[in-house]
Amino acid sequence: MNNPKFLEGKVALITGAGGGGFGREMAIAFASKGADLVINDINDEGLKQTRKIILNNHDVDVFIAKADISDSKQVKKMAESVPEKFDNLYLLINNAGIDGGLYPSLKQKEAMYDKIMAINLKGAWNVTKVFFKQMRRQKHFTPIAGKIINIVSCAGTANGANPQLGIYSVSKAGLLAFTRLWALELGKNNITVNAISPGVFLTPLYNNDPKLIRDFLKTRGVKIPIDKIGESKWVVDAALFLASPGADYITGQTIIVDGGWTAD
Protein backbone atom coordinates (compact mmCIF):
# COMPACT_ATOMS: atom_id res chain seq x y z
CA MET A 1 0.00 0.00 0.00
CA ASN A 2 2.74 2.44 -0.98
CA ASN A 3 0.17 4.58 -2.79
CA PRO A 4 -1.83 6.39 -0.08
CA LYS A 5 -4.68 6.94 -2.57
CA PHE A 6 -4.82 3.43 -4.02
CA LEU A 7 -8.62 3.62 -4.32
CA GLU A 8 -8.70 6.89 -6.26
CA GLY A 9 -10.94 6.59 -9.32
CA LYS A 10 -12.71 3.60 -7.79
CA VAL A 11 -16.11 3.28 -6.12
CA ALA A 12 -16.94 1.35 -2.96
CA LEU A 13 -20.45 0.28 -1.92
CA ILE A 14 -20.90 -0.42 1.78
CA THR A 15 -24.16 -1.85 3.12
CA GLY A 16 -25.12 -1.08 6.71
CA ALA A 17 -23.25 2.23 6.63
CA GLY A 18 -25.87 4.26 8.47
CA GLY A 19 -25.02 3.10 11.97
CA GLY A 20 -22.06 3.70 14.22
CA GLY A 21 -20.36 0.37 13.62
CA PHE A 22 -18.01 -1.14 11.05
CA GLY A 23 -19.94 0.18 8.03
CA ARG A 24 -19.43 3.85 8.80
CA GLU A 25 -15.82 3.36 9.84
CA MET A 26 -15.00 1.46 6.65
CA ALA A 27 -16.68 4.13 4.53
CA ILE A 28 -14.53 6.81 6.18
CA ALA A 29 -11.39 4.71 5.71
CA PHE A 30 -12.06 4.02 2.02
CA ALA A 31 -12.69 7.73 1.45
CA SER A 32 -9.30 8.46 3.02
CA LYS A 33 -7.76 6.27 0.31
CA GLY A 34 -9.53 8.20 -2.45
CA ALA A 35 -12.63 6.06 -3.05
CA ASP A 36 -15.96 7.54 -4.03
CA LEU A 37 -18.75 5.92 -2.07
CA VAL A 38 -22.19 4.42 -2.27
CA ILE A 39 -23.50 4.05 1.27
CA ASN A 40 -26.54 1.90 1.96
CA ASP A 41 -28.82 1.37 4.93
CA ILE A 42 -32.49 1.69 5.88
CA ASN A 43 -31.55 4.41 8.39
CA ASP A 44 -31.82 7.60 6.35
CA GLU A 45 -30.65 9.92 9.12
CA GLY A 46 -27.71 7.66 9.86
CA LEU A 47 -26.70 7.70 6.21
CA LYS A 48 -26.85 11.49 6.13
CA GLN A 49 -24.63 11.63 9.21
CA THR A 50 -22.13 9.23 7.64
CA ARG A 51 -22.04 11.33 4.47
CA LYS A 52 -21.57 14.54 6.45
CA ILE A 53 -18.64 13.11 8.40
CA ILE A 54 -16.96 11.97 5.19
CA LEU A 55 -17.51 15.16 3.21
CA ASN A 56 -16.22 17.28 6.09
CA ASN A 57 -12.91 15.45 5.92
CA HIS A 58 -12.41 14.06 2.40
CA ASP A 59 -12.74 15.32 -1.17
CA VAL A 60 -14.82 12.47 -2.57
CA ASP A 61 -18.34 11.89 -3.87
CA VAL A 62 -20.82 10.12 -1.60
CA PHE A 63 -24.09 8.73 -2.94
CA ILE A 64 -26.81 7.68 -0.50
CA ALA A 65 -28.66 4.53 -1.60
CA LYS A 66 -31.37 3.89 0.97
CA ALA A 67 -32.76 0.39 0.50
CA ASP A 68 -33.78 -2.70 2.43
CA ILE A 69 -31.35 -5.27 1.09
CA SER A 70 -33.66 -8.13 2.09
CA ASP A 71 -36.06 -6.89 -0.62
CA SER A 72 -34.74 -7.83 -4.06
CA LYS A 73 -36.90 -5.19 -5.77
CA GLN A 74 -35.33 -2.41 -3.71
CA VAL A 75 -31.86 -3.81 -4.41
CA LYS A 76 -32.53 -3.87 -8.15
CA LYS A 77 -33.60 -0.21 -8.01
CA MET A 78 -30.40 0.59 -6.13
CA ALA A 79 -28.41 -1.24 -8.80
CA GLU A 80 -30.09 0.86 -11.49
CA SER A 81 -29.38 4.13 -9.69
CA VAL A 82 -25.66 3.62 -9.00
CA PRO A 83 -24.50 3.66 -12.68
CA GLU A 84 -26.32 6.97 -13.10
CA LYS A 85 -23.92 8.44 -10.55
CA PHE A 86 -20.68 6.46 -11.05
CA ASP A 87 -19.02 4.64 -13.92
CA ASN A 88 -17.66 1.74 -11.86
CA LEU A 89 -18.06 -0.35 -8.74
CA TYR A 90 -14.73 -1.77 -7.58
CA LEU A 91 -15.51 -2.67 -3.97
CA LEU A 92 -18.63 -4.27 -2.52
CA ILE A 93 -18.74 -4.59 1.26
CA ASN A 94 -21.55 -6.82 2.53
CA ASN A 95 -21.68 -5.44 6.04
CA ALA A 96 -25.38 -5.02 6.93
CA GLY A 97 -26.70 -7.37 9.57
CA ILE A 98 -28.79 -7.83 12.71
CA ASP A 99 -28.38 -10.19 15.67
CA GLY A 100 -32.03 -10.79 16.55
CA GLY A 101 -31.48 -10.82 20.30
CA LEU A 102 -30.00 -13.40 22.66
CA TYR A 103 -31.89 -16.59 21.86
CA PRO A 104 -30.76 -20.19 21.33
CA SER A 105 -31.66 -21.36 17.83
CA LEU A 106 -34.50 -23.64 18.98
CA LYS A 107 -36.12 -20.89 21.06
CA GLN A 108 -36.07 -18.18 18.41
CA LYS A 109 -39.41 -17.11 16.93
CA GLU A 110 -40.06 -17.92 13.30
CA ALA A 111 -40.63 -14.29 12.33
CA MET A 112 -37.24 -13.27 13.76
CA TYR A 113 -35.57 -16.30 12.16
CA ASP A 114 -36.88 -15.13 8.80
CA LYS A 115 -35.76 -11.53 9.42
CA ILE A 116 -32.22 -12.47 10.47
CA MET A 117 -31.71 -14.78 7.51
CA ALA A 118 -33.32 -12.28 5.10
CA ILE A 119 -30.93 -9.47 6.04
CA ASN A 120 -27.72 -11.28 6.99
CA LEU A 121 -27.70 -13.96 4.30
CA LYS A 122 -30.29 -13.30 1.60
CA GLY A 123 -29.48 -9.58 1.71
CA ALA A 124 -25.81 -10.17 0.89
CA TRP A 125 -26.89 -12.57 -1.87
CA ASN A 126 -29.34 -10.01 -3.29
CA VAL A 127 -26.71 -7.28 -3.43
CA THR A 128 -23.91 -9.46 -4.79
CA LYS A 129 -26.18 -11.00 -7.40
CA VAL A 130 -26.90 -7.66 -9.06
CA PHE A 131 -23.56 -5.87 -8.63
CA PHE A 132 -21.11 -8.58 -9.69
CA LYS A 133 -22.43 -8.14 -13.23
CA GLN A 134 -21.09 -4.59 -13.33
CA MET A 135 -17.78 -5.67 -11.80
CA ARG A 136 -17.08 -8.34 -14.41
CA ARG A 137 -17.40 -5.79 -17.23
CA GLN A 138 -14.63 -3.61 -15.77
CA LYS A 139 -11.82 -4.82 -18.01
CA HIS A 140 -9.99 -1.51 -17.53
CA PHE A 141 -9.23 -2.48 -13.92
CA THR A 142 -6.29 -4.88 -13.97
CA PRO A 143 -5.35 -7.36 -12.73
CA ILE A 144 -8.51 -7.37 -10.60
CA ALA A 145 -11.86 -6.15 -11.92
CA GLY A 146 -13.54 -5.92 -8.54
CA LYS A 147 -13.46 -7.06 -4.92
CA ILE A 148 -16.17 -8.32 -2.58
CA ILE A 149 -15.63 -8.35 1.18
CA ASN A 150 -18.16 -10.05 3.44
CA ILE A 151 -18.28 -9.01 7.09
CA VAL A 152 -19.14 -12.17 8.96
CA SER A 153 -18.50 -13.10 12.60
CA CYS A 154 -16.61 -15.55 14.76
CA ALA A 155 -20.09 -16.76 15.72
CA GLY A 156 -20.24 -18.33 12.27
CA THR A 157 -16.99 -20.27 12.66
CA ALA A 158 -16.53 -23.79 14.01
CA ASN A 159 -14.79 -22.61 17.20
CA GLY A 160 -16.92 -19.53 17.78
CA ALA A 161 -20.51 -20.76 17.38
CA ASN A 162 -22.60 -18.95 19.95
CA PRO A 163 -25.72 -20.69 21.35
CA GLN A 164 -26.97 -17.36 22.68
CA LEU A 165 -26.94 -15.96 19.14
CA GLY A 166 -28.28 -19.10 17.51
CA ILE A 167 -29.78 -18.01 14.21
CA TYR A 168 -27.29 -15.16 13.87
CA SER A 169 -24.51 -17.77 14.08
CA VAL A 170 -26.20 -19.82 11.34
CA SER A 171 -26.60 -16.77 9.10
CA LYS A 172 -22.93 -15.88 9.43
CA ALA A 173 -21.86 -19.47 8.78
CA GLY A 174 -23.93 -19.26 5.60
CA LEU A 175 -22.16 -16.07 4.56
CA LEU A 176 -18.82 -17.78 5.10
CA ALA A 177 -20.00 -20.52 2.76
CA PHE A 178 -21.05 -17.91 0.20
CA THR A 179 -17.58 -16.36 0.47
CA ARG A 180 -15.95 -19.59 -0.69
CA LEU A 181 -18.59 -20.31 -3.33
CA TRP A 182 -18.46 -16.83 -4.85
CA ALA A 183 -14.66 -16.93 -4.91
CA LEU A 184 -14.89 -20.09 -7.03
CA GLU A 185 -17.69 -18.71 -9.21
CA LEU A 186 -16.20 -15.27 -9.85
CA GLY A 187 -12.49 -15.99 -10.09
CA LYS A 188 -12.78 -16.37 -13.86
CA ASN A 189 -14.05 -12.79 -13.95
CA ASN A 190 -11.04 -11.52 -11.97
CA ILE A 191 -13.24 -10.74 -8.97
CA THR A 192 -11.92 -11.64 -5.52
CA VAL A 193 -14.20 -12.58 -2.63
CA ASN A 194 -12.99 -12.66 0.96
CA ALA A 195 -14.41 -12.34 4.45
CA ILE A 196 -13.51 -10.67 7.72
CA SER A 197 -14.62 -12.43 10.87
CA PRO A 198 -14.63 -10.13 13.93
CA GLY A 199 -14.77 -11.40 17.49
CA VAL A 200 -16.17 -9.20 20.27
CA PHE A 201 -16.01 -5.53 19.41
CA LEU A 202 -17.32 -2.33 20.90
CA THR A 203 -20.14 -1.88 18.38
CA PRO A 204 -23.94 -1.38 18.43
CA LEU A 205 -24.27 -5.19 18.44
CA TYR A 206 -23.20 -4.99 22.10
CA ASN A 207 -24.79 -1.57 22.68
CA ASN A 208 -21.27 -0.08 22.70
CA ASP A 209 -21.10 -1.27 26.30
CA PRO A 210 -17.77 -2.76 27.53
CA LYS A 211 -19.44 -4.13 30.68
CA LEU A 212 -22.03 -5.98 28.61
CA ILE A 213 -19.23 -7.56 26.58
CA ARG A 214 -17.26 -8.57 29.68
CA ASP A 215 -20.40 -10.09 31.25
CA PHE A 216 -21.12 -11.96 28.02
CA LEU A 217 -17.60 -13.41 27.89
CA LYS A 218 -17.75 -14.39 31.56
CA THR A 219 -21.07 -16.22 31.24
CA ARG A 220 -19.69 -18.20 28.30
CA GLY A 221 -16.38 -18.89 29.99
CA VAL A 222 -14.51 -17.28 27.11
CA LYS A 223 -10.95 -16.10 27.64
CA ILE A 224 -9.36 -14.04 24.88
CA PRO A 225 -5.56 -14.51 24.69
CA ILE A 226 -5.12 -10.83 23.83
CA ASP A 227 -7.29 -9.64 26.70
CA LYS A 228 -8.81 -6.62 25.00
CA ILE A 229 -12.20 -5.73 23.58
CA GLY A 230 -11.89 -5.19 19.85
CA GLU A 231 -11.76 -1.71 18.32
CA SER A 232 -13.42 -1.02 14.98
CA LYS A 233 -10.16 0.25 13.48
CA TRP A 234 -8.73 -3.28 13.58
CA VAL A 235 -11.51 -4.58 11.32
CA VAL A 236 -11.13 -1.49 9.14
CA ASP A 237 -7.40 -2.18 8.75
CA ALA A 238 -8.19 -5.71 7.57
CA ALA A 239 -10.70 -4.33 5.08
CA LEU A 240 -8.16 -1.83 3.77
CA PHE A 241 -5.66 -4.63 3.25
CA LEU A 242 -8.16 -6.76 1.31
CA ALA A 243 -9.09 -3.70 -0.78
CA SER A 244 -5.44 -2.98 -1.56
CA PRO A 245 -3.25 -4.30 -4.39
CA GLY A 246 -1.41 -6.35 -1.78
CA ALA A 247 -4.41 -8.70 -1.60
CA ASP A 248 -4.98 -9.09 -5.36
CA TYR A 249 -4.00 -12.78 -5.27
CA ILE A 250 -6.09 -13.64 -2.20
CA THR A 251 -9.60 -15.01 -2.63
CA GLY A 252 -11.95 -17.36 -0.82
CA GLN A 253 -10.26 -16.62 2.51
CA THR A 254 -11.36 -15.37 5.91
CA ILE A 255 -9.34 -13.02 8.09
CA ILE A 256 -10.27 -13.69 11.70
CA VAL A 257 -9.88 -10.62 13.92
CA ASP A 258 -10.67 -11.90 17.39
CA GLY A 259 -7.63 -11.54 19.65
CA GLY A 260 -7.14 -15.31 19.55
CA TRP A 261 -10.62 -16.26 20.81
CA THR A 262 -11.13 -19.03 18.24
CA ALA A 263 -7.50 -20.22 18.20
CA ASP A 264 -8.20 -23.01 20.69
Side-chain angles (χ1 to χ4, degrees):
M1 288 190 284
N2 293 330
N3 178 6
K5 296 291 184 181
F6 63 85
L7 290 176
E8 197 164 34
K10 296 175 178 177
V11 177
L13 188 162
I14 305 101
T15 68
F22 299 138
R24 176 176 291 168
E25 295 302 320
M26 285 187 289
I28 294 168
F30 294 144
S32 75
K33 302 303 179 184
D36 293 318
L37 302 171
V38 179
I39 52 174
N40 159 264
D41 208 298
I42 58 171
N43 181 351
D44 193 45
E45 287 305 312
L47 287 172
K48 290 176 181 176
Q49 186 176 357
T50 299
R51 181 174 63 180
K52 182 178 179 181
I53 292 169
I54 294 168
L55 294 181
N56 282 345
N57 294 280
H58 304 289
D59 185 19
V60 299
D61 286 335
V62 182
F63 176 63
I64 287 179
K66 182 183 178 183
D68 179 352
I69 62 168
S70 70
D71 183 338
S72 60
K73 292 181 180 178
Q74 292 188 41
V75 173
K76 287 177 182 176
K77 287 184 179 178
M78 179 169 69
E80 291 168 358
S81 67
V82 170
E84 295 175 359
K85 177 67 176 176
F86 298 116
D87 64 0
N88 76 84
L89 182 71
Y90 184 74
L91 280 178
L92 168 57
I93 314 298
N94 286 311
N95 169 72
I98 60 170
D99 61 69
L102 297 175
Y103 292 96
S105 64
L106 298 178
K107 293 185 178 181
Q108 184 61 272
K109 294 181 179 179
E110 183 177 0
M112 184 53 72
Y113 171 97
D114 290 341
K115 185 175 182 179
I116 295 167
M117 297 299 280
I119 295 172
N120 296 6
L121 192 58
K122 182 186 174 186
W125 178 74
N126 281 339
V127 176
T128 303
K129 190 176 181 181
V130 296
F131 281 104
F132 91 88
K133 297 172 184 177
Q134 180 174 350
M135 286 183 169
R136 69 182 178 185
R137 294 194 296 267
Q138 297 171 167
K139 308 297 184 183
H140 56 292
F141 289 145
T142 58
I144 298 300
K147 297 188 174 190
I148 299 168
I149 302 173
N150 296 324
I151 306 302
V152 290
S153 169
C154 284
T157 65
N159 291 350
N162 185 348
Q164 294 183 45
L165 292 168
I167 305 306
Y168 174 82
S169 296
V170 173
S171 72
K172 293 301 187 178
L175 192 51
L176 279 169
F178 269 152
T179 300
R180 296 188 294 272
L181 285 169
W182 294 341
L184 295 173
E185 292 177 29
L186 300 178
K188 63 186 178 184
N189 301 120
N190 293 322
I191 297 171
T192 67
V193 188
N194 293 290
I196 300 172
S197 182
V200 286
F201 278 74
L202 199 62
T203 66
L205 178 65
Y206 293 100
N207 296 327
N208 295 306
D209 184 351
K211 185 179 184 302
L212 179 65
I213 294 174
R214 290 294 182 187
D215 289 345
F216 164 76
L217 294 173
K218 186 176 181 180
T219 57
R220 288 210 60 210
V222 173
K223 293 184 178 179
I224 302 175
I226 298 177
D227 190 21
K228 299 178 186 296
I229 296 170
E231 298 178 22
S232 293
K233 65 179 181 180
W234 296 332
V235 169
V236 170
D237 285 344
L240 284 173
F241 167 67
L242 289 174
S244 76
D248 282 356
Y249 199 53
I250 298 173
T251 195
Q253 306 304 311
T254 302
I255 297 178
I256 298 177
V257 188
D258 70 350
W261 172 17
T262 58
D264 188 2

